[in-house]
Short mmCIF file of all heavy atoms in Angstrom, two decimals:
data_model
loop_
_atom_site.label_atom_id
_atom_site.label_comp_id
_atom_site.label_asym_id
_atom_site.label_seq_id
_atom_site.Cartn_x
_atom_site.Cartn_y
_atom_site.Cartn_z
N ALA A 37 -53.48 -17.54 -82.36
CA ALA A 37 -54.69 -16.71 -82.46
C ALA A 37 -54.34 -15.24 -82.43
O ALA A 37 -54.95 -14.42 -83.14
CB ALA A 37 -55.66 -17.06 -81.33
N VAL A 38 -53.35 -14.87 -81.61
CA VAL A 38 -52.93 -13.47 -81.54
C VAL A 38 -52.19 -13.06 -82.81
O VAL A 38 -52.49 -12.03 -83.43
CB VAL A 38 -52.03 -13.22 -80.30
CG1 VAL A 38 -51.46 -11.81 -80.34
CG2 VAL A 38 -52.83 -13.42 -79.02
N ILE A 39 -51.22 -13.87 -83.23
CA ILE A 39 -50.42 -13.52 -84.40
C ILE A 39 -51.28 -13.43 -85.65
O ILE A 39 -51.10 -12.55 -86.50
CB ILE A 39 -49.29 -14.56 -84.62
CG1 ILE A 39 -48.30 -14.50 -83.44
CG2 ILE A 39 -48.55 -14.29 -85.92
CD1 ILE A 39 -47.25 -15.60 -83.48
N SER A 40 -52.26 -14.33 -85.78
CA SER A 40 -53.12 -14.35 -86.97
C SER A 40 -54.19 -13.28 -86.94
O SER A 40 -54.86 -13.06 -87.95
CB SER A 40 -53.79 -15.72 -87.11
OG SER A 40 -54.73 -15.92 -86.07
N GLY A 41 -54.38 -12.63 -85.80
CA GLY A 41 -55.43 -11.63 -85.70
C GLY A 41 -56.77 -12.18 -85.31
O GLY A 41 -57.77 -11.44 -85.25
N GLU A 42 -56.87 -13.50 -85.06
CA GLU A 42 -58.14 -14.09 -84.61
C GLU A 42 -58.53 -13.48 -83.25
O GLU A 42 -59.71 -13.27 -82.98
CB GLU A 42 -58.02 -15.61 -84.50
CG GLU A 42 -58.06 -16.33 -85.82
CD GLU A 42 -59.46 -16.48 -86.38
OE1 GLU A 42 -60.43 -16.13 -85.69
OE2 GLU A 42 -59.58 -16.95 -87.52
N MET A 43 -57.55 -13.26 -82.40
CA MET A 43 -57.77 -12.51 -81.17
C MET A 43 -57.40 -11.07 -81.46
O MET A 43 -56.26 -10.77 -81.80
CB MET A 43 -56.95 -13.09 -80.01
CG MET A 43 -57.41 -14.48 -79.60
SD MET A 43 -56.38 -15.25 -78.29
CE MET A 43 -56.78 -14.20 -76.88
N LYS A 44 -58.36 -10.18 -81.36
CA LYS A 44 -58.24 -8.83 -81.88
C LYS A 44 -57.38 -7.93 -81.00
O LYS A 44 -57.50 -7.94 -79.78
CB LYS A 44 -59.63 -8.20 -82.02
CG LYS A 44 -60.59 -9.00 -82.88
CD LYS A 44 -60.06 -9.14 -84.30
CE LYS A 44 -61.04 -9.92 -85.18
NZ LYS A 44 -60.50 -10.14 -86.54
N PRO A 45 -56.53 -7.11 -81.63
CA PRO A 45 -55.74 -6.14 -80.88
C PRO A 45 -56.65 -5.21 -80.08
O PRO A 45 -57.65 -4.69 -80.60
CB PRO A 45 -54.99 -5.37 -81.97
CG PRO A 45 -54.97 -6.29 -83.14
CD PRO A 45 -56.24 -7.07 -83.07
N GLY A 46 -56.32 -5.01 -78.82
CA GLY A 46 -57.11 -4.14 -77.97
C GLY A 46 -58.24 -4.82 -77.25
O GLY A 46 -58.76 -4.30 -76.26
N ALA A 47 -58.65 -6.00 -77.71
CA ALA A 47 -59.74 -6.74 -77.06
C ALA A 47 -59.24 -7.39 -75.78
O ALA A 47 -58.08 -7.78 -75.68
CB ALA A 47 -60.31 -7.79 -78.00
N VAL A 48 -60.13 -7.50 -74.79
CA VAL A 48 -59.79 -8.11 -73.51
C VAL A 48 -60.47 -9.46 -73.41
O VAL A 48 -61.68 -9.57 -73.63
CB VAL A 48 -60.21 -7.21 -72.34
CG1 VAL A 48 -59.93 -7.89 -71.00
CG2 VAL A 48 -59.49 -5.87 -72.41
N TYR A 49 -59.71 -10.50 -73.08
CA TYR A 49 -60.23 -11.86 -72.98
C TYR A 49 -59.98 -12.36 -71.56
O TYR A 49 -58.92 -12.12 -70.98
CB TYR A 49 -59.52 -12.78 -73.98
CG TYR A 49 -59.74 -12.41 -75.43
CD1 TYR A 49 -58.91 -11.48 -76.05
CD2 TYR A 49 -60.79 -12.95 -76.16
CE1 TYR A 49 -59.11 -11.13 -77.37
CE2 TYR A 49 -60.99 -12.60 -77.48
CZ TYR A 49 -60.15 -11.69 -78.08
OH TYR A 49 -60.35 -11.32 -79.39
N SER A 50 -60.95 -13.09 -71.02
CA SER A 50 -60.81 -13.64 -69.68
C SER A 50 -60.44 -15.12 -69.76
O SER A 50 -60.89 -15.83 -70.67
CB SER A 50 -62.10 -13.48 -68.88
OG SER A 50 -63.11 -14.33 -69.39
N ALA A 51 -59.64 -15.57 -68.81
CA ALA A 51 -59.24 -16.98 -68.78
C ALA A 51 -60.45 -17.90 -68.63
O ALA A 51 -60.53 -18.93 -69.32
CB ALA A 51 -58.23 -17.21 -67.66
N PRO A 52 -61.42 -17.61 -67.76
CA PRO A 52 -62.58 -18.51 -67.63
C PRO A 52 -63.38 -18.65 -68.91
O PRO A 52 -63.82 -19.75 -69.26
CB PRO A 52 -63.40 -17.85 -66.52
CG PRO A 52 -62.42 -17.10 -65.71
CD PRO A 52 -61.43 -16.57 -66.71
N SER A 53 -63.57 -17.54 -69.64
CA SER A 53 -64.37 -17.63 -70.87
C SER A 53 -63.64 -18.42 -71.94
O SER A 53 -64.24 -19.22 -72.67
CB SER A 53 -64.72 -16.24 -71.38
OG SER A 53 -63.56 -15.51 -71.73
N LEU A 54 -62.32 -18.24 -72.05
CA LEU A 54 -61.54 -19.02 -73.01
C LEU A 54 -61.49 -20.49 -72.59
O LEU A 54 -61.58 -21.39 -73.44
CB LEU A 54 -60.12 -18.46 -73.12
CG LEU A 54 -59.99 -17.07 -73.74
CD1 LEU A 54 -58.55 -16.57 -73.62
CD2 LEU A 54 -60.41 -17.08 -75.20
N ALA A 55 -61.36 -20.74 -71.30
CA ALA A 55 -61.31 -22.11 -70.79
C ALA A 55 -62.60 -22.85 -71.09
O ALA A 55 -62.59 -24.06 -71.37
CB ALA A 55 -61.06 -22.09 -69.28
N GLU A 56 -63.71 -22.15 -71.07
CA GLU A 56 -65.00 -22.79 -71.36
C GLU A 56 -65.03 -23.33 -72.77
O GLU A 56 -65.52 -24.44 -73.02
CB GLU A 56 -66.13 -21.77 -71.16
CG GLU A 56 -67.52 -22.35 -71.39
CD GLU A 56 -68.62 -21.32 -71.17
OE1 GLU A 56 -68.31 -20.19 -70.71
OE2 GLU A 56 -69.79 -21.64 -71.48
N GLN A 57 -64.49 -22.57 -73.71
CA GLN A 57 -64.46 -23.05 -75.09
C GLN A 57 -63.45 -24.17 -75.27
O GLN A 57 -63.69 -25.12 -76.01
CB GLN A 57 -64.15 -21.91 -76.06
CG GLN A 57 -64.14 -22.38 -77.52
CD GLN A 57 -64.19 -21.24 -78.50
OE1 GLN A 57 -64.54 -20.12 -78.15
NE2 GLN A 57 -63.82 -21.51 -79.73
N PHE A 58 -62.31 -24.07 -74.60
CA PHE A 58 -61.31 -25.12 -74.68
C PHE A 58 -61.78 -26.41 -74.03
O PHE A 58 -61.28 -27.50 -74.32
CB PHE A 58 -60.01 -24.68 -73.99
CG PHE A 58 -59.14 -23.78 -74.83
CD1 PHE A 58 -58.58 -22.65 -74.27
CD2 PHE A 58 -58.86 -24.06 -76.15
CE1 PHE A 58 -57.74 -21.81 -75.01
CE2 PHE A 58 -58.05 -23.24 -76.91
CZ PHE A 58 -57.50 -22.10 -76.33
N GLY A 59 -62.74 -26.30 -73.10
CA GLY A 59 -63.21 -27.48 -72.38
C GLY A 59 -62.28 -27.90 -71.27
O GLY A 59 -62.16 -29.10 -70.97
N VAL A 60 -61.60 -26.93 -70.67
CA VAL A 60 -60.65 -27.22 -69.59
C VAL A 60 -60.91 -26.24 -68.44
O VAL A 60 -61.73 -25.34 -68.54
CB VAL A 60 -59.19 -27.07 -70.08
CG1 VAL A 60 -58.91 -28.03 -71.21
CG2 VAL A 60 -58.90 -25.64 -70.50
N SER A 61 -60.17 -26.44 -67.35
CA SER A 61 -60.28 -25.51 -66.22
C SER A 61 -59.56 -24.21 -66.57
O SER A 61 -58.70 -24.19 -67.46
CB SER A 61 -59.66 -26.13 -64.97
OG SER A 61 -58.26 -26.20 -65.10
N PRO A 62 -59.86 -23.13 -65.87
CA PRO A 62 -59.22 -21.84 -66.17
C PRO A 62 -57.72 -21.81 -65.89
O PRO A 62 -57.00 -21.01 -66.48
CB PRO A 62 -59.96 -20.86 -65.26
CG PRO A 62 -61.27 -21.49 -64.97
CD PRO A 62 -60.98 -22.98 -64.92
N THR A 63 -57.23 -22.70 -65.01
CA THR A 63 -55.84 -22.62 -64.58
C THR A 63 -54.83 -22.71 -65.73
O THR A 63 -53.96 -21.84 -65.87
CB THR A 63 -55.53 -23.69 -63.52
OG1 THR A 63 -56.35 -23.46 -62.37
CG2 THR A 63 -54.06 -23.62 -63.10
N PRO A 64 -54.87 -23.76 -66.59
CA PRO A 64 -53.87 -23.82 -67.67
C PRO A 64 -54.02 -22.69 -68.68
O PRO A 64 -53.04 -22.26 -69.29
CB PRO A 64 -54.13 -25.18 -68.33
CG PRO A 64 -55.53 -25.53 -67.97
CD PRO A 64 -55.75 -24.96 -66.61
N VAL A 65 -55.24 -22.18 -68.84
CA VAL A 65 -55.45 -21.05 -69.76
C VAL A 65 -54.83 -19.79 -69.18
O VAL A 65 -54.16 -19.03 -69.88
CB VAL A 65 -56.95 -20.83 -70.02
CG1 VAL A 65 -57.17 -19.63 -70.93
CG2 VAL A 65 -57.57 -22.09 -70.65
N ARG A 66 -55.04 -19.57 -67.88
CA ARG A 66 -54.44 -18.40 -67.23
C ARG A 66 -52.91 -18.49 -67.30
O ARG A 66 -52.23 -17.49 -67.56
CB ARG A 66 -54.91 -18.30 -65.79
CG ARG A 66 -54.46 -17.03 -65.06
CD ARG A 66 -55.07 -16.91 -63.69
NE ARG A 66 -56.51 -16.73 -63.73
CZ ARG A 66 -57.41 -17.66 -63.43
NH1 ARG A 66 -57.01 -18.87 -63.03
NH2 ARG A 66 -58.69 -17.42 -63.49
N GLU A 67 -52.37 -19.68 -67.06
CA GLU A 67 -50.92 -19.86 -67.14
C GLU A 67 -50.41 -19.58 -68.55
O GLU A 67 -49.35 -18.97 -68.73
CB GLU A 67 -50.55 -21.27 -66.71
CG GLU A 67 -50.78 -21.56 -65.23
CD GLU A 67 -50.56 -23.02 -64.88
OE1 GLU A 67 -50.53 -23.85 -65.80
OE2 GLU A 67 -50.40 -23.31 -63.67
N ALA A 68 -51.16 -20.04 -69.55
CA ALA A 68 -50.77 -19.81 -70.94
C ALA A 68 -50.79 -18.32 -71.26
O ALA A 68 -49.89 -17.79 -71.93
CB ALA A 68 -51.71 -20.57 -71.88
N LEU A 69 -51.81 -17.62 -70.80
CA LEU A 69 -51.91 -16.18 -71.05
C LEU A 69 -50.78 -15.42 -70.36
O LEU A 69 -50.26 -14.44 -70.89
CB LEU A 69 -53.27 -15.67 -70.58
CG LEU A 69 -54.46 -16.08 -71.47
CD1 LEU A 69 -55.78 -15.83 -70.75
CD2 LEU A 69 -54.43 -15.33 -72.80
N LEU A 70 -50.38 -15.88 -69.18
CA LEU A 70 -49.25 -15.26 -68.50
C LEU A 70 -47.96 -15.49 -69.29
O LEU A 70 -47.08 -14.60 -69.33
CB LEU A 70 -49.12 -15.81 -67.07
CG LEU A 70 -50.20 -15.34 -66.09
CD1 LEU A 70 -50.09 -16.11 -64.78
CD2 LEU A 70 -50.08 -13.83 -65.84
N ASP A 71 -47.83 -16.68 -69.91
CA ASP A 71 -46.68 -16.94 -70.77
C ASP A 71 -46.67 -15.96 -71.95
O ASP A 71 -45.62 -15.43 -72.32
CB ASP A 71 -46.71 -18.37 -71.31
CG ASP A 71 -46.37 -19.40 -70.23
OD1 ASP A 71 -45.78 -19.02 -69.21
OD2 ASP A 71 -46.73 -20.58 -70.43
N LEU A 72 -47.84 -15.72 -72.54
CA LEU A 72 -47.94 -14.79 -73.67
C LEU A 72 -47.68 -13.36 -73.23
O LEU A 72 -47.17 -12.55 -74.01
CB LEU A 72 -49.31 -14.89 -74.33
CG LEU A 72 -49.66 -16.24 -74.98
CD1 LEU A 72 -50.97 -16.12 -75.76
CD2 LEU A 72 -48.54 -16.73 -75.87
N ALA A 73 -48.01 -13.04 -71.97
CA ALA A 73 -47.72 -11.71 -71.45
C ALA A 73 -46.22 -11.48 -71.37
O ALA A 73 -45.72 -10.38 -71.65
CB ALA A 73 -48.36 -11.53 -70.07
N LYS A 74 -45.46 -12.53 -71.02
CA LYS A 74 -44.00 -12.43 -70.98
C LYS A 74 -43.44 -12.19 -72.38
O LYS A 74 -42.38 -11.58 -72.54
CB LYS A 74 -43.40 -13.70 -70.38
CG LYS A 74 -43.74 -13.91 -68.91
CD LYS A 74 -43.17 -15.23 -68.41
CE LYS A 74 -43.56 -15.50 -66.97
NZ LYS A 74 -43.08 -16.82 -66.48
N GLU A 75 -44.14 -12.70 -73.40
CA GLU A 75 -43.71 -12.51 -74.79
C GLU A 75 -44.16 -11.18 -75.35
O GLU A 75 -43.79 -10.82 -76.47
CB GLU A 75 -44.26 -13.65 -75.67
CG GLU A 75 -43.73 -15.02 -75.29
CD GLU A 75 -44.35 -16.13 -76.12
OE1 GLU A 75 -45.11 -15.82 -77.06
OE2 GLU A 75 -44.07 -17.31 -75.83
N GLY A 76 -45.00 -10.45 -74.60
CA GLY A 76 -45.49 -9.16 -75.06
C GLY A 76 -46.69 -9.23 -75.97
O GLY A 76 -47.09 -8.22 -76.57
N LEU A 77 -47.29 -10.42 -76.11
CA LEU A 77 -48.45 -10.56 -76.99
C LEU A 77 -49.74 -10.08 -76.33
O LEU A 77 -50.67 -9.66 -77.02
CB LEU A 77 -48.61 -12.03 -77.42
CG LEU A 77 -47.51 -12.56 -78.34
CD1 LEU A 77 -47.75 -14.03 -78.63
CD2 LEU A 77 -47.46 -11.77 -79.63
N VAL A 78 -49.82 -10.19 -75.01
CA VAL A 78 -50.97 -9.69 -74.27
C VAL A 78 -50.45 -8.96 -73.03
O VAL A 78 -49.28 -9.08 -72.67
CB VAL A 78 -51.93 -10.83 -73.82
CG1 VAL A 78 -52.45 -11.61 -75.02
CG2 VAL A 78 -51.23 -11.78 -72.83
N GLU A 79 -51.34 -8.19 -72.41
CA GLU A 79 -51.00 -7.52 -71.17
C GLU A 79 -52.12 -7.74 -70.16
O GLU A 79 -53.29 -7.88 -70.54
CB GLU A 79 -50.78 -6.03 -71.40
CG GLU A 79 -51.97 -5.30 -72.01
CD GLU A 79 -51.65 -3.86 -72.38
OE1 GLU A 79 -50.47 -3.48 -72.26
OE2 GLU A 79 -52.57 -3.13 -72.78
N VAL A 80 -51.76 -7.81 -68.91
CA VAL A 80 -52.73 -8.07 -67.85
C VAL A 80 -53.57 -6.82 -67.60
O VAL A 80 -53.03 -5.72 -67.47
CB VAL A 80 -52.02 -8.49 -66.55
CG1 VAL A 80 -53.05 -8.72 -65.44
CG2 VAL A 80 -51.18 -9.75 -66.77
N VAL A 81 -54.89 -7.01 -67.56
CA VAL A 81 -55.81 -5.95 -67.21
C VAL A 81 -56.46 -6.35 -65.88
O VAL A 81 -57.23 -7.31 -65.82
CB VAL A 81 -56.91 -5.75 -68.29
CG1 VAL A 81 -57.85 -4.61 -67.88
CG2 VAL A 81 -56.27 -5.46 -69.63
N ARG A 82 -56.14 -5.65 -64.85
CA ARG A 82 -56.54 -6.04 -63.50
C ARG A 82 -58.06 -6.18 -63.39
O ARG A 82 -58.82 -5.32 -63.83
CB ARG A 82 -56.05 -5.00 -62.49
CG ARG A 82 -56.24 -5.43 -61.04
CD ARG A 82 -55.57 -4.45 -60.10
NE ARG A 82 -55.74 -4.85 -58.72
CZ ARG A 82 -55.27 -4.18 -57.68
NH1 ARG A 82 -54.59 -3.05 -57.89
NH2 ARG A 82 -55.46 -4.61 -56.45
N ASN A 83 -58.46 -7.31 -62.82
CA ASN A 83 -59.87 -7.63 -62.56
C ASN A 83 -60.71 -7.82 -63.83
O ASN A 83 -61.93 -7.92 -63.75
CB ASN A 83 -60.54 -6.56 -61.68
CG ASN A 83 -59.89 -6.44 -60.32
OD1 ASN A 83 -59.44 -7.43 -59.75
ND2 ASN A 83 -59.82 -5.23 -59.79
N LYS A 84 -60.06 -7.88 -64.98
CA LYS A 84 -60.80 -8.06 -66.23
C LYS A 84 -60.28 -9.24 -67.05
O LYS A 84 -61.06 -10.03 -67.57
CB LYS A 84 -60.75 -6.79 -67.08
CG LYS A 84 -61.59 -5.65 -66.53
CD LYS A 84 -61.65 -4.49 -67.51
CE LYS A 84 -62.56 -3.39 -67.00
NZ LYS A 84 -62.64 -2.26 -67.98
#
């Protein structure tokens, strides 16, 4: 989603809101986003 531009550069996404669409709990989504942060695809925005 990030590489294809479906998730927009500069936009902020929350794990709970993404988890709702995936139909899962926020935990695996948050873990996945942290993995992408290590790759430099996203960055953590505190409290957002």
Side-chain angles (χ1 to χ4, degrees):
V38 173
I39 295 173
S40 68
E42 284 281 353
M43 293 176 68
K44 304 299 181 184
V48 177
Y49 297 87
S50 70
S53 63
L54 293 173
E56 182 179 352
Q57 181 166 343
F58 280 135
V60 300
S61 70
T63 299
V65 178
R66 186 174 294 106
E67 291 173 344
L69 287 166
L70 288 171
D71 287 341
L72 296 188
K74 294 177 183 177
E75 297 176 6
L77 292 177
V78 301
E79 57 187 7
V80 178
V81 180
R82 189 172 180 181
N83 298 325
K84 288 188 177 181

